[in-house]
Amino acid sequence: MADISLSKIVKDYGGLRAIHGVDLSVNDGEFVAFVGPSGCGKSTILRMIAGLEEISGGTLRIGGRVVNEVEPRGRDVAMVFQDYALYPHMSIRENIGFGLKMRGWKAADITPMVENAARLLQIEDLLGRKPGQLSGGQRQRVAMGRAIVREPSVFLFDEPLSNLDAKLRVEMRTQIKRLHAMLGTTTVYVTHDQTEAMTLADRVVVLRGGHIVQEGPPMDLYSQPNCRFVGEFIGSPKMNVLSGVIDRTGDTPCLRLADTTVEIGDIPAQDGARIDVGIRPEHLIWAEAGTSNLEAMVDVFEPLGSDTMAICRFADHEISARLAPHIPLRRNHPIHLSYDTANLHYFDADSGQRLEARGPRITQTAQGVA
């Protein structure tokens, strides 16, 4: 196993700079997920760690060794790709052991390694088949098995579940998490799916435009996003954001939007300042008329069994509320919602940076992360 250190890493494509001086350390045995929108640079950074992309500037170390000029085969990393990259004419046994064969291993030594990896991934009964005879989830396990037999210091995953259906993605997330718990290998995982990042990683790194926007434990990013971008990107359904101006004319600070106001906490901003206020769907609670913070109009509602998502119109905004399944809802009818101001998030309207409220905050959600 090994730690990974990126110091002022830069990637240029001609006159275009894709990665802007990234600094990041991945600890020995840690599982770190890179997440962000398409084109943010997450796969480029992963490929630079693997040696598949040339580094334009900065220093990359794996296990304390500078590897900027080291070929991929000399970095002791194993990569699992989105498209499986299996040889269709080979059996599953041959696919898993191919890398060891190319490194000169004898068949007698390869066999127990392949069988052990197959046992870990629960694909022992598939070893005699060809890739074309397997499902997408089974093929992805084979690709993981090929990486495992190499016993690398670092695992690299490049959006490995994006080709799978929803049910298989959940199953494979569990498999990957279980595998990391058993092997303890340093892992860097790239995904566009923030739910994958939240459920799998010890630490999540959010990227945007080739920069790291925020990094930390998943629940830290969820409960304390440092900007509006992270607040909306992390969490599903995404955070509701109301844009307006501060109104301090009453007894308590309010946010004025369109022809109404809603109560907010005490933040260090002047009367009339433009701000964005975020609240997560699970923090909007159904309430009786006269006891609520706001009245919205139901647009669409989605019964999910354990709860119901209500998508509503409120003061020129669309907001979502995660409600108990028994709440009576009717389209184009009003709904009264309440919230605790301690669960609000505040962002500067121009920069998007977080504004801290005065007083205590609630940092743990009632229902967790979807």
Side-chain angles (χ1 to χ4, degrees), residues 8-288:
K8 296 179 173 53
I9 292 294
V10 169
K11 177 61 182 178
D12 295 326
Y13 293 101
L16 175 65
R17 176 149 295 183
I19 305 297
H20 302 264
V22 164
D23 292 305
L24 182 70
S25 294
V26 180
N27 298 323
D28 187 6
E30 189 177 19
F31 194 124
V32 170
F34 291 170
V35 69
S38 297
C40 69
K42 54 189 184 294
S43 289
T44 299
I45 295 174
L46 191 79
R47 291 174 65 82
M48 286 194 285
I49 295 172
L52 302 177
E53 288 277 1
E54 184 178 327
I55 298 171
S56 303
T59 304
L60 172 65
R61 291 182 171 86
I62 299 178
R65 180 172 65 118
V66 176
V67 295
N68 287 48
E69 305 299 329
V70 176
E71 292 293 317
R73 71 177 67 184
R75 298 192 182 198
D76 196 21
V77 303
M79 191 162 178
V80 178
F81 296 92
Q82 175 182 347
D83 59 359
Y84 319 130
L86 302 179
Y87 296 104
H89 63 286
M90 293 183 183
S91 69
I92 301 310
R93 181 185 295 277
E94 291 169 329
N95 265 283
I96 294 175
F98 183 73
L100 299 181
K101 181 179 179 181
M102 289 296 96
R103 293 163 70 181
W105 284 47
K106 296 180 180 178
D109 297 322
I110 294 174
T111 297
M113 298 290 288
V114 170
E115 291 178 350
N116 181 59
R119 190 162 46 252
L120 284 174
L121 295 166
Q122 301 175 356
I123 54 173
E124 306 103 300
D125 58 336
L126 305 179
L127 291 176
R129 300 186 190 180
K130 298 288 180 64
Q133 299 173 291
L134 306 186
S135 69
Q138 290 170 330
R139 275 182 267 180
Q140 193 56 277
R141 291 189 189 199
V142 174
M144 290 166 58
R146 187 175 53 194
I148 289 169
V149 295
R150 293 181 54 190
E151 297 185 335
S153 297
V154 175
F155 282 135
L156 304 175
F157 289 86
D158 190 9
E159 303 203 41
L161 309 185
S162 60
N163 288 337
L164 306 182
D165 63 37
K167 182 176 181 292
L168 275 175
R169 281 201 301 271
V170 173
E171 292 177 1
M172 288 303 299
R173 283 207 313 259
T174 302
Q175 186 73 42
I176 291 170
K177 191 153 192 171
R178 183 181 294 123
L179 192 65
H180 182 258
M182 288 189 293
L183 301 178
T185 306
T186 305
T187 300
V188 180
Y189 187 101
V190 161
T191 178
H192 65 277
D193 185 336
Q194 56 85 26
T195 302
E196 279 181 30
M198 293 284 288
T199 55
L200 285 171
D202 301 316
R203 188 155 47 107
V204 175
V205 178
V206 182
L207 290 125
R208 184 185 191 189
H211 297 271
I212 292 177
V213 182
Q214 187 174 2
E215 54 95 3
M219 285 309 300
D220 284 3
L221 271 62
Y222 186 80
S223 60
Q224 293 281 101
N226 66 4
C227 63
R228 175 173 172 169
F229 173 79
V230 174
E232 291 188 286
F233 195 86
I234 298 294
S236 178
K238 74 174 187 176
M239 175 186 288
N240 299 303
V241 177
L242 303 175
S243 299
V245 297
I246 295 178
D247 184 341
R248 295 186 180 275
T249 57
D251 295 333
T252 59
C254 291
L255 181 73
R256 179 169 294 282
L257 16 72
D259 57 355
T260 188
T261 61
V262 292
E263 183 183 353
I264 61 174
D266 187 15
I267 62 171
Q270 298 298 316
D271 185 44
R274 294 174 55 250
I275 64 165
D276 296 330
V277 177
I279 184 166
R280 297 204 177 275
E282 62 268 30
H283 291 147
L284 287 171
I285 311 299
W286 180 83
E288 297 285 354

Side-chain angles (χ1 to χ4, degrees), residues 354-366:
R354 182 184 187 85
L355 302 171
E356 286 294 345
R358 301 182 179 101
R361 278 195 53 79
I362 296 173
T363 57
Q364 199 68 29
T365 68

